[in-house]
Amino acid sequence: MGGNETRLVEDIYMIGVRGMENLDVFVDFAKNMMKQDVVIAPWLTWGDGQNRIPTHLQRDIEGIAERFAHLHWRPDWRITLTGSYPISRNRVAEAYRETVSSTAVYLSHLELGQLNVTEEMVKVAERLTENFVAQTDPKVFVTFYLLTVIYEDLQALEYYGSMQANDFVRGHLHRPWGTETLSGELEAAVSAEAVEVDTAADLVRLTSRGKEMLHYIEGIFRESGFFTSRSKLIRLNNFNHVDDIASMMEALVPTACEHRKTVVELSGIQPGMAVLELGSGTGALTFEAGLFQRVGPDGRLVATDPSTSMLASVRRKRESYNAHWVEVVHGKAERLPFPANTFDSVIGYAFLHLTDMDEALREIARVLKPGGSLITLHPLHFPARNEFFLEWFAPLLKTGGTPRNQDNLPGPDTVPSAMEPHYEIVHLQSLDLEMHYTSPRTVVEFFVGIVDVFEEQMATLPWRARHDMVQQLIKRGEEVCRKYPPESLVEMHPGQFIRAIVRK
């Protein structure tokens, strides 16, 4: 990193101390960026220790980034915060490169439901980034990118307390994808007095000024919803690694099949209806629970899910059941690829809590015909009342001895309140799901790694710490399962069934 770039990063570090007036600018920027499906998440490209983007497409993205830098960067382009400093072309190109790359990976997840990045997704990411930057101040764009970089650095130091300088520069604890710039960033952080280095022990520590700046950045990310978006990306990333989520749920909830059948029985769906199933997974509700039979060959049943691997299972089952009236469509609840007033009913089992609920409910209301119904069964907050559960998940339930929001699942009033603007609830029923905690790896991978119900606690952990937390919880679960008899490792988990009629 050259002198100008080091001074620029140093200047960004000083924002948290002297630049509070920029808060609204960055909050608005982040909100607009997320609305346009532009993503700054370099870690998203780093899958299983290597770049998820093929080498030839990485070269294409480098060319795109250089072109953007050529278009938007000017020699007299300066940033004025605590002082006035030139912004180098290399730093601008880096911001564009990482944005196009992570947006391409995100789009591959969202649009294709796969981990592999295609040339088409790179082109779409290029267009989205170009359109977004044309609507904003490029200097704010670069600054916000740098805030995400600095957050990862300082967050790791706050979490670990201190770090060997060599470990910091190597980035394997917090930024293995960003090792090229870490040495210069450490130099800049020391110069800005955000961190200090104990030369005798070769340890890097966060200073009070660094903590103040970190909390400032956290405020921007929290107020803008950037943290929430980050958590959803983590969940989406993990979700697309799973081939059969239904099998995991059967191990956790042995009565899940009966509950799915209850959902179908209480749905009010009649033969010949046009029905949309959201979050179909591998088709457990579609086929094993008999939804396809309820709709019948004179009707239309469309099964959707964000994961193409799971939809492949639905297609196989459709062939084995010879259910030609079942359509399989890739999609997510927040953005349904159907015209308005298409369906008589929309139904889903344990899907609504995994969505942006307000957006999903609006979109479902759009595709329902007048008087159409939404049927959902979803879990509620973990009861967290059994001794084994509190012992097992103590690292997530408490931080520094202070109780945290235990999970991101809805409460009893969450879904009814969110439905109120668009629906009239005609059937609301509480029920208990018998949850078995006898398989530690399945429990942890499902709740923490895949559906990320402990979103608030996991979102603020450094990159390596998130992985370590999963392994720690699996080990704790194994100890708990040895300590408690199997019959006591059962918790009655509250759920909620709702049937509502759309208001048109």
Side-chain angles (χ1 to χ4, degrees), residues 215-241:
H215 296 156
Y216 165 75
I217 299 175
E218 287 176 341
I220 294 172
F221 289 175
R222 188 170 291 108
E223 184 174 342
S224 66
F226 189 77
F227 273 145
T228 300
S229 175
R230 189 172 184 258
S231 296
K232 289 179 180 178
L233 288 175
I234 293 171
R235 182 165 64 236
L236 182 64
N237 179 54
N238 294 336
F239 217 91
N240 276 321
H241 281 90

Side-chain angles (χ1 to χ4, degrees), residues 24-25 47 69-70 81 110 197 210 221 287 290-291 333 393 413 457 463 486:
D24 290 341
V25 172
H70 174 74
L81 294 167
L110 182 68
V197 178
F221 289 175
F287 296 105
L291 178 60
F393 290 96
D413 300 324
Q457 292 86 338
W463 181 81

Side-chain angles (χ1 to χ4, degrees), residues 473-499:
L473 290 171
I474 292 173
K475 183 177 180 180
R476 290 178 70 92
E478 291 169 349
E479 294 171 353
V480 164
C481 287
R482 286 192 293 266
K483 179 178 178 180
Y484 295 87
E487 60 271 17
S488 68
L489 295 171
V490 177
E491 189 162 61
M492 301 308 293
H493 192 118
Q496 187 178 64
F497 173 87
I498 296 179
R499 180 170 179 264

Side-chain angles (χ1 to χ4, degrees), residues 64-314:
I64 293 168
E66 287 297 328
R67 180 173 65 83
F68 282 167
H70 174 74
L71 288 172
H72 298 292
W73 176 79
R74 296 292 180 268
D76 61 348
W77 196 18
R78 306 177 70 84
I79 185 167
T80 303
L81 294 167
T82 59
S84 182
Y85 303 101
I87 297 178
S88 77
R89 177 170 171 162
N90 288 343
R91 199 42 117 164
V92 175
E94 176 192 320
Y96 286 123
R97 182 185 71 241
E98 298 294 1
T99 302
V100 172
S101 297
S102 50
T103 300
V105 176
Y106 165 70
L107 291 171
S108 296
H109 282 303
L110 182 68
E111 301 295 342
L112 304 178
Q114 65 183 34
L115 299 175
N116 299 326
V117 175
T118 64
E119 183 177 359
E120 178 187 4
M121 289 299 100
V122 170
K123 290 180 179 177
V124 175
E126 174 187 5
R127 185 174 68 251
L128 287 175
T129 303
E130 188 167 28
N131 290 343
F132 173 65
V133 173
Q135 302 169 26
T136 189
D137 183 342
K139 290 188 289 185
V140 174
F141 173 86
V142 173
T143 303
F144 188 86
Y145 166 75
L146 287 171
L147 288 179
T148 68
V149 169
I150 293 166
Y151 172 78
E152 299 283 358
D153 293 347
L154 300 190
Q155 176 205 33
L157 290 174
E158 182 175 62
Y159 179 82
Y160 290 110
S162 64
M163 195 184 299
Q164 291 287 331
N166 186 53
D167 288 337
F168 183 95
V169 172
R170 288 170 59 197
H172 64 279
L173 292 177
H174 66 301
R175 277 180 60 210
W177 58 86
T179 55
E180 293 181 1
T181 60
L182 278 167
S183 179
E185 287 165 19
L186 177 58
E187 177 186 344
V190 171
S191 179
E193 300 180 357
V195 305
E196 59 185 7
V197 178
D198 181 340
T199 53
D202 199 32
L203 287 175
V204 182
R205 297 189 184 92
L206 199 61
T207 65
S208 58
R209 176 174 288 179
K211 290 179 181 178
E212 183 181 350
M213 192 244 324
L214 174 62
H215 296 156
Y216 165 75
I217 299 175
E218 287 176 341
I220 294 172
F221 289 175
R222 188 170 291 108
E223 184 174 342
S224 66
F226 189 77
F227 273 145
T228 300
S229 175
R230 189 172 184 258
S231 296
K232 289 179 180 178
L233 288 175
I234 293 171
R235 182 165 64 236
L236 182 64
N237 179 54
N238 294 336
F239 217 91
N240 276 321
H241 281 90
V242 182
D243 292 325
D244 190 0
I245 196 169
S247 295
M248 299 182 76
M249 289 190 66
E250 296 294 341
L252 296 170
V253 188
T255 57
C257 185
E258 286 74 17
H259 284 297
R260 292 191 189 97
K261 290 179 180 179
T262 298
V263 171
V264 175
E265 291 169 2
L266 297 177
S267 67
I269 292 173
Q270 301 297 318
M273 281 186 170
V275 177
L276 172 65
E277 181 191 352
L278 297 177
S280 63
T282 56
L285 182 71
T286 322
F287 296 105
E288 284 84 348
L291 178 60
F292 83 105
Q293 293 170 320
R294 175 65 66 97
V295 174
D298 294 329
R300 179 192 183 194
L301 174 57
V302 181
T304 66
D305 197 273
S307 171
T308 54
S309 62
M310 293 190 193
L311 290 179
S313 178
V314 178

